[in-house]
Amino acid sequence: MEPYHEASPGRPSMRASDQDRDETVQRLQVAFAEGRLTDGEFDERMRGALSARTHGDLAELLVDLPAATASTAPAASRPAAPAHLPKPGRYAVAYKNTLRQAGRWRVPGTYRALVYKGGGVIDLRAAELTEALTTILAVAYKSDLQLLVPPGVRVEASGFGVTHDGDWTGDLAADAPVVHIRGYAYKGRVDVRTMPRR
């Protein structure tokens, strides 16, 4: 049988497998967490990766991103910072692992949480919100990611695969802090719940 040469003139690109799509999604998640992609670009490319049919389709999504190297691979598998640290940084990534951010910690104005084939909890009930508007970008790929918000905080949720219980019906102060959660879930969910402080 004649060997296949991808992207040869007159030949269709080789069909992508689920593993190929998974690897592309992982690289997009890391690039997003590093700030290489805007929210809109990440959203568009994630949709493209999940619906890609060929290697060529996937390659187009990564053409302007660094190639996967030994230095980038551990970043995706790095566990979340221990809960006792006062400031976890601007993002946390869990790759086939569990992400847990809870207890007393300072939340930056923009925080990214990416979970790939794992699970996670981001608990804001004892956290210090450092700005009046906190934006949390939550990505759950074949994972469930739960965000716990205390009463008295205005929650705005958007994206796809996001559920918000909406149980808090009390009055909110005009200057109540706002937590805007932009979630992206594929074969999983981003679950937002308002719960009393511990």
Side-chain angles (χ1 to χ4, degrees), residues 53-141:
R53 294 184 178 182
T54 67
H55 283 191
D57 295 336
L58 294 175
E60 288 180 11
L61 302 173
L62 303 173
V63 68
D64 58 349
L65 298 177
T69 63
S71 62
T72 58
S77 57
R78 185 183 304 132
H84 66 275
L85 294 181
K87 188 175 182 180
R90 294 201 169 273
Y91 70 89
V93 178
Y95 176 71
K96 294 183 179 179
N97 204 340
T98 300
L99 182 158
R100 181 169 179 79
Q101 185 64 57
R104 297 183 61 83
W105 60 291
R106 300 182 73 239
V107 187
T110 299
Y111 185 71
R112 294 175 170 90
L114 313 174
V115 183
Y116 178 88
K117 291 186 179 179
V121 176
I122 299 175
D123 191 342
L124 302 179
R125 292 176 295 170
E128 176 190 346
L129 302 179
T130 58
E131 298 185 19
L133 171 61
T134 302
T135 300
I136 297 179
L137 305 167
V139 179
Y141 182 77

Side-chain angles (χ1 to χ4, degrees), residues 33-48:
E34 292 174 342
R36 299 181 190 276
L37 297 175
T38 66
D39 297 354
E41 290 169 335
F42 178 72
D43 188 0
E44 181 180 356
R45 294 192 195 197
M46 278 286 288
R47 292 175 187 270

